[in-house]
Amino acid sequence: MATEKETSINPVANGHSTNTNDQTQESSVPFIRKLAFGCGHVFNDLAASMWFSYLLIYFNKVLNFNSVLAGYLMLAGQICDGLSTTFVGIESDRINGCCFLGKRKSWHLVGTFCVLLSFPFIFNPCITCDNEPDSIQLIYYISFILVFQFGWANVQISHLSLIPELTKNKHERVSLNSIRYAFTVLSNLAVYIIFWIIFNMNVGEKLGRKDSGKFELLVFIVTGIGVFFSFTFHILSPEKMYSTPVAAENKEQEGLLSCTQSIMTWKDWWYEPQFYMIAVIYMATRLFLNISQIYLPLYVLDTIQLNKKYIAIVPLVVYIFSFLTTLIMKMVNSTIGAKMTFVIGLIISLSFSIWILFIPINSMQVFGAAAFNGIGGSVILITSLSLTTELIATNTESAAFVYGSLSLVDKCANGIAVVVIQHLLAMNTGNCCGDCLCDNRLILFVVPGGAATIGFIFLCLLGPQKIGVRKRTKLYVPYTQNTPTESSNPINNQQPNV
């Protein structure tokens, strides 16, 4: 009997997976359930599309807000989002669900209500202080932004944390990430198409205060669509009501779990080098995507001086190519592996940053660069999320903390980058090729291009390693009906024969 015990425990002690053959060969997630899962982040995606694409344009061009203060609005939102994701990550792993919902969907529902009650106010003039100085209006808008970002973080982390719980098959996880990103792309397409329809009625006029009502209409349409998809997610996407070691013990007592399982608390992740490497890779990916999304419309308006309708059409092209790319991501990842796929995405992304430097005024070359941005951004985002799920592996008990920590780094980096850029733009206006003629070119070259380079460097550091192998683990050994035992060397523990 001692020999049998050591045979079942040794794989875990060596850092390898202890899943049974049934778990390894887990059947695929039904397609309908995948679609229902994808609906869960649509409201966030619609809101994020407006937040990143049109926040600075709305405050600078429509409300005539100070450009630096507009940058601080985004910084406040990003920092709040980052801190909230970490808090939600820890609490979502620790606290069970409520109102007959699992712990992930409970936080998702709270976040949805927060977004619903705050987001529309961000793209509407100040209700009681429309004529007040920018500093007074800043306080008004920040209050709604903080509630919005807290809710956005709730939805994001709870939705991401469902992926490792839905399946342990890494190819199915890639598929879920692809579907999730496909819904992100479709959400962005919806925003840009609606924006184009609304603003196409007076294409010859410059963007200004008179367009405030159009942004109000856009934000209310977006909110209505988002609420519908959130409702669909909660109705059609059930969640397992167990995800803690206690529940795992119950499964063992039922004969469903018969092997040793490694567990990771949120504190254990700080000792994992791969955790930091993948955090930097994810941060670089989001920095490339978000800075491109924020400053590409400004590049279209101010640098190559196209008509205002193109601030909807150019991003539309980006997301059309993003959507087409998601259709083949599962096949590409399973064929050449996540790391090589990420390298290909980085090469395409760098091509966008280089091309953007050489596009002349009023040129349609911007559509070619937009296609490169869509393809490259789609590849690196889906792959970075796949690397994260590989890092988590079977440790779904602390998955929300991992996603929350990665999001904290991402949000802070993006917020700081935007504020620094806005300060530089304010300093250089009128001193560089005529207003913002070359500033936006350099922004889209240096920041996204630099982020892609950083991502490549850390991918090279990660390259020789097998993702998901732990440097430090705790072991949960469900061998009796007593309280679970944690041990760093379970072989030496005295256990009764099974």
Side-chain angles (χ1 to χ4, degrees):
M1 277 300 186
T3 303
E4 292 178 5
K5 281 192 296 181
E6 292 180 7
T7 300
S8 66
I9 295 175
N10 274 338
V12 181
N14 293 331
H16 298 294
S17 173
T18 61
N19 293 338
T20 63
N21 291 334
D22 290 339
Q23 288 170 321
T24 304
Q25 303 296 331
E26 188 180 58
S27 59
S28 61
V29 180
F31 185 68
I32 296 298
R33 189 169 182 184
K34 290 181 181 178
L35 290 180
F37 167 78
C39 292
H41 207 253
V42 168
F43 197 3
N44 260 25
D45 292 329
L46 293 167
S49 179
M50 287 194 64
W51 171 264
F52 286 114
S53 295
Y54 299 128
L55 183 77
L56 293 183
I57 285 181
Y58 178 72
F59 278 90
N60 289 344
K61 306 288 185 180
V62 177
L63 298 184
N64 296 317
F65 226 66
N66 179 279
S67 61
V68 174
L69 290 181
Y72 279 111
L73 282 175
M74 180 161 286
L75 175 64
Q78 294 302 98
I79 291 177
C80 177
D81 189 359
L83 294 175
S84 298
T85 53
T86 307
F87 168 77
V88 173
I90 295 174
E91 295 301 308
S92 176
D93 288 328
R94 187 178 66 87
I95 298 176
N96 291 326
C98 61
C99 302
F100 306 104
L101 296 174
K103 62 181 181 179
R104 309 301 186 195
K105 289 180 68 176
S106 298
W107 285 93
H108 186 284
L109 185 62
V110 171
T112 299
F113 276 109
C114 288
V115 174
L116 172 63
L117 297 176
S118 59
F119 182 65
F121 291 95
I122 299 173
F123 285 90
N124 276 272
C126 181
I127 296 175
T128 59
C129 55
D130 195 21
N131 297 318
E132 297 293 332
D134 289 352
S135 57
I136 301 298
Q137 296 189 47
L138 183 73
I139 299 172
Y140 171 86
Y141 284 110
I142 280 182
S143 62
F144 287 109
I145 286 173
L146 295 181
V147 176
F148 162 62
Q149 292 292 359
F150 174 74
W152 201 97
N154 274 265
V155 174
Q156 180 198 29
I157 299 305
S158 58
H159 194 255
L160 279 171
S161 301
L162 278 173
I163 295 176
E165 295 187 3
L166 288 174
T167 177
K168 294 181 176 62
N169 185 303
K170 69 177 183 179
H171 297 305
E172 283 299 300
R173 289 180 177 184
V174 172
S175 177
L176 286 170
N177 276 313
S178 296
I179 286 177
R180 185 178 187 273
Y181 189 65
F183 273 90
T184 297
V185 171
L186 291 174
S187 301
N188 280 270
L189 289 174
V191 170
Y192 298 135
I193 290 172
I194 296 169
F195 185 95
W196 178 58
I197 292 172
I198 293 174
F199 280 81
N200 200 40
M201 299 175 185
N202 53 351
V203 295
E205 302 177 13
K206 291 185 177 180
L207 197 65
R209 184 77 180 191
K210 61 187 177 303
D211 294 306
S212 174
K214 297 182 177 65
F215 279 95
E216 294 174 25
L217 178 60
L218 176 63
V219 76
F220 287 128
I221 293 174
V222 161
T223 301
I225 296 172
V227 169
F228 170 78
F229 277 94
S230 296
F231 179 78
T232 302
F233 166 74
H234 279 277
I235 295 298
L236 299 180
S237 183
E239 178 188 355
K240 294 179 182 179
M241 299 299 288
Y242 55 87
S243 57
T244 63
V246 173
E249 184 181 10
N250 294 335
K251 289 174 68 180
E252 164 63 18
Q253 294 170 9
E254 296 168 8
L256 299 178
L257 183 64
S258 59
C259 61
T260 307
Q261 176 183 348
S262 65
I263 65 170
M264 294 281 290
T265 67
W266 66 271
K267 296 178 182 178
D268 295 322
W269 288 106
W270 300 118
Y271 299 94
E272 297 297 324
Q274 289 184 1
F275 174 72
Y276 298 99
M277 295 180 191
I278 291 179
V280 175
I281 290 174
Y282 182 73
M283 178 206 71
T285 299
R286 298 301 311 192
L287 198 59
F288 173 88
L289 289 167
N290 292 341
I291 297 300
S292 299
Q293 190 174 9
I294 292 168
Y295 288 98
L296 189 57
L298 291 169
Y299 174 85
V300 169
L301 275 180
D302 297 331
T303 304
I304 60 175
Q305 300 175 9
L306 295 178
N307 189 279
K308 67 181 181 181
K309 69 179 181 180
Y310 287 101
I311 64 176
I313 297 175
V314 173
L316 190 63
V317 171
V318 171
Y319 281 95
I320 288 174
F321 280 90
S322 292
F323 177 73
L324 295 176
T325 304
T326 62
L327 301 179
I328 62 171
M329 278 302 299
K330 181 179 179 181
M331 179 191 68
V332 174
N333 256 293
S334 59
T335 302
I336 64 175
K339 294 174 184 176
M340 186 55 65
T341 304
F342 194 79
V343 171
I344 294 173
L346 288 176
I347 293 172
I348 299 172
S349 302
L350 281 170
S351 301
F352 158 77
S353 294
I354 295 171
W355 194 349
I356 215 77
L357 279 175
F358 303 102
I359 299 177
I361 293 176
N362 293 322
S363 173
M364 296 294 110
Q365 290 184 36
V366 68
F367 291 108
F372 274 45
N373 181 279
I375 297 170
S378 178
V379 170
I380 62 177
L381 180 58
I382 292 174
T383 309
S384 65
L385 288 172
S386 299
L387 292 173
T388 306
T389 57
E390 287 186 37
L391 173 69
I392 293 169
T394 59
N395 295 119
T396 59
E397 68 277 354
S398 54
F401 170 75
V402 175
Y403 285 117
S405 300
L406 267 58
S407 187
L408 171 63
V409 176
D410 142 44
K411 298 302 189 303
C412 291
N414 279 278
I416 292 170
V418 169
V419 167
V420 170
I421 290 169
Q422 290 300 106
H423 273 286
L424 292 175
L425 286 175
M427 292 169 57
N428 292 335
T429 299
N431 298 322
C432 182
C433 310
D435 292 334
C436 298
L437 188 59
C438 72
D439 287 323
N440 289 317
R441 290 188 195 276
L442 292 175
I443 290 167
L444 290 175
F445 171 70
V446 173
V447 182
T453 303
I454 292 171
F456 177 75
I457 292 171
F458 277 84
L459 183 69
C460 291
L461 295 175
L462 191 65
Q465 305 179 35
K466 179 176 174 58
I467 300 175
V469 176
R470 308 288 185 240
K471 295 292 184 182
R472 168 175 170 162
T473 60
K474 292 182 180 179
L475 299 178
Y476 164 63
V477 188
Y479 58 89
T480 68
Q481 294 184 356
N482 298 326
T483 304
T485 301
E486 291 183 1
S487 172
S488 60
N489 188 12
I491 297 176
N492 296 329
N493 290 347
Q494 296 298 319
Q495 303 180 21
N497 293 337
V498 179

